Amino acid sequence: MADWQKITGGVTAPRGYQAAGITAGLKPSGLPDLALIFSEVEAIAAGVFTTSQVKAACVEYCRQRLQAKHSARAILCNAGQANAATGNQGYLDTLESALAIAQALNISSEYVLLASTGVIGQRIKMDALRSGIPKVVAALSETGSDAAAGAIITTDLVTKSIALETTVGDRPVRIGGIAKGSGMIHPNMATMLAFVTCDAMVSPALWQQMLARAADRSFNSITVDGDTSTNDSLIALANGQSRTPAITEWGAEAEKLEAMLTAVCQHLAKAIARDGEGATCLIEVEVTGAHDELSARQIAKTIAGSSLVKSAIFGRDPNWGRIAAAAGRAGIPFEQENLQIKLGDFLMLENGQPLTFDRAAASAYLKKAAIGAYLQEDRVLISVNVGNGYGVGKAWGCDLSYDYVRINAEYTT
């Protein structure tokens, strides 16, 4: 059993945080498009960002900020324009955004972190942002997480939010998170946009290490379409308002906190994968028997990202050959005679040899997932064993439907 429980509240569930989401006029659709998360006190800050050589201005800005100072109080996110590949003017817009929100909050701009999402090559609509900043500050509340979650999405069909609570000593500690992402999902860092808040007190170095490991086991283990974004950002704040003793070194309390942080990130990551553009189900791949965890995750992510595997799942075709082929090209050595493949409860390959299975029943299993309850009964489980090693890894993805092409063919039009 997990040593925590799910609670409501998203990023405002931890103590000392407020959030807001408003319509500032950044999106042509007129939907909410400006979000703010604010810590009432200075918080330890950590971040993981895209490794793409083409980075949005906000990514460069946040990296520099976190290198200079491992703390923050505010995260401002605009949706509608990615402000990536916009040159020096795009970076100047980022600096102006940070200064404007800092002045409105009456804090130093060095405590501001930024994120953007939307169409690459488009600058932020600064007039709309300028007029929206006083409004989003005025809208801050201790129940504003849902509004913020709604203001950061683009092609998402649903918002993504989670909050968990555990006990450290005799006091509750909470972690909350919101995220966005539906397409251009194949992270090489963390992913898309995800914001996490925590009310524990953690040393900066330890918090950064925890976040990086959590990212590898969550956001870095999902894929929708094989494309890595220019704006991928995972930012986490820890403000110490739980009033629990500071966690400064590895031990039982640090292990518990990292496990809960990982659970928050995995929930958000799976929600992103399930909400992949045009998707009808979540695909979870578990690989066992590899040399180490990293190798297992690499095989799992290769299978989850295979266009042929994803297409077969959408067609409700239990074509295990595509799973075997994807595992074989993952770049991780294993003996073919050790390969085992299961789809749900259906064992299809054992010791590298095909087995007879009920194809109609296996296809029905895939059809049932497509109509299952969201993030409850809509999972297709692919289990792969490659040997006798101790490495276990998971990855998540979604099926590839006709709608994915339609959505992305019409993205800027």
Side-chain angles (χ1 to χ4, degrees):
M1 294 290 291
D3 194 18
W4 53 78
Q5 61 181 349
K6 185 179 289 188
I7 58 174
T8 60
V11 291
T12 53
R15 290 169 179 80
Y17 292 96
Q18 300 177 49
I22 66 160
T23 300
L26 297 164
K27 289 180 182 175
S29 64
L31 293 172
D33 50 24
L34 188 63
L36 177 62
I37 300 170
F38 180 62
S39 175
E40 296 169 0
V41 299
E42 184 176 348
I44 299 302
V48 191
F49 303 94
T50 184
T51 58
S52 172
Q53 295 303 301
V54 181
K55 300 177 181 67
C58 58
V59 170
E60 296 286 8
Y61 168 86
C62 284
R63 279 182 164 169
Q64 292 179 21
R65 276 284 178 263
L66 290 175
Q67 286 173 0
K69 193 176 187 66
H70 302 298
S71 60
R73 290 190 63 186
I75 303 171
L76 180 71
C77 178
N78 72 280
Q81 299 84 45
N83 199 24
T86 51
N88 186 60
Q89 187 56 54
Y91 192 74
L92 293 177
D93 291 342
T94 293
L95 294 178
E96 182 184 345
S97 301
L99 182 59
I101 192 65
Q103 290 175 341
L105 290 168
N106 195 29
I107 62 174
S108 170
S109 61
E110 67 181 355
Y111 291 115
V112 173
L113 297 173
L114 301 171
S116 300
T117 182
V119 180
I120 295 170
Q122 292 188 4
R123 288 174 51 199
I124 300 169
K125 294 180 180 178
M126 293 304 294
D127 287 343
L129 186 77
R130 292 185 194 102
S131 63
I133 281 177
K135 299 174 184 176
V136 76
V137 171
L140 281 171
S141 81
E142 294 178 353
T143 58
S145 182
D146 287 347
I152 66 175
I153 61 175
T154 50
T155 58
D156 308 54
L157 296 180
V158 297
T159 58
K160 290 93 177 170
S161 178
I162 182 70
L164 300 178
E165 179 182 275
T166 191
T167 301
V168 174
D170 59 350
R171 298 184 65 87
V173 170
R174 298 171 178 175
I175 299 179
I178 61 173
K180 67 84 55 181
S182 186
M184 198 176 280
I185 308 297
H186 190 78
N188 288 313
M189 43 65 69
T191 188
M192 291 53 63
L193 300 182
F195 309 123
V196 174
T197 58
C198 175
D199 54 18
M201 176 59 72
V202 193
S203 69
L206 195 57
W207 189 233
Q208 180 65 51
Q209 292 166 11
M210 288 179 177
L211 189 67
R213 286 191 292 262
D216 280 340
R217 292 167 178 161
S218 58
F219 298 115
N220 261 345
S221 296
I222 62 172
T223 181
V224 169
D225 48 22
D227 277 298
T228 297
S229 170
T230 57
N231 291 54
D232 291 345
S233 300
L234 167 62
I235 298 172
L237 306 179
N239 68 5
Q241 291 302 287
S242 64
R243 306 299 183 188
T244 51
I247 300 174
T248 59
E249 59 185 23
W250 189 251
E253 292 180 350
E255 185 176 353
K256 179 189 287 190
L257 189 68
E258 182 176 328
M260 190 164 72
L261 174 64
T262 301
V264 165
C265 290
Q266 286 185 342
H267 175 90
L268 295 173
K270 287 189 282 186
I272 289 171
R274 174 60 184 89
D275 197 29
E277 290 167 341
T280 68
C281 63
L282 175 72
I283 299 173
E284 180 177 304
V285 183
E286 181 176 47
V287 173
T288 57
H291 176 68
D292 53 30
E293 180 185 352
L294 184 62
S295 299
R297 284 207 311 266
Q298 178 61 30
I299 297 172
K301 192 171 180 181
T302 303
I303 296 170
S306 165
S307 294
L308 291 178
V309 172
K310 291 155 65 70
S311 298
I313 299 299
F314 175 68
R316 319 310 172 203
D317 178 13
N319 187 343
W320 60 263
R322 293 181 174 181
I323 299 171
R329 68 174 173 83
I332 303 299
F334 64 85
E335 298 298 328
Q336 181 173 329
E337 58 265 28
N338 292 332
L339 187 62
Q340 179 193 81
I341 296 175
K342 291 177 65 178
L343 180 66
D345 293 329
F346 298 92
L347 183 61
M348 301 174 165
L349 187 75
E350 180 75 52
N351 297 323
Q353 298 296 311
L355 301 177
T356 301
F357 65 95
D358 189 333
R359 295 187 64 86
S363 181
Y365 166 72
L366 298 176
K367 293 176 182 176
K368 183 178 179 181
I371 60 174
Y374 179 74
L375 286 182
Q376 296 180 45
E377 299 167 341
D378 56 353
R379 180 191 67 161
V380 169
L381 177 60
I382 296 173
S383 304
V384 176
N385 183 273
V386 296
N388 298 315
Y390 294 103
V392 177
K394 289 185 178 182
W396 297 272
C398 61
D399 57 342
L400 183 61
S401 73
Y402 310 127
D403 278 345
Y404 177 83
V405 175
R406 178 188 60 78
I407 291 167
N408 284 281
E410 301 169 357
Y411 186 66
T412 63
T413 56

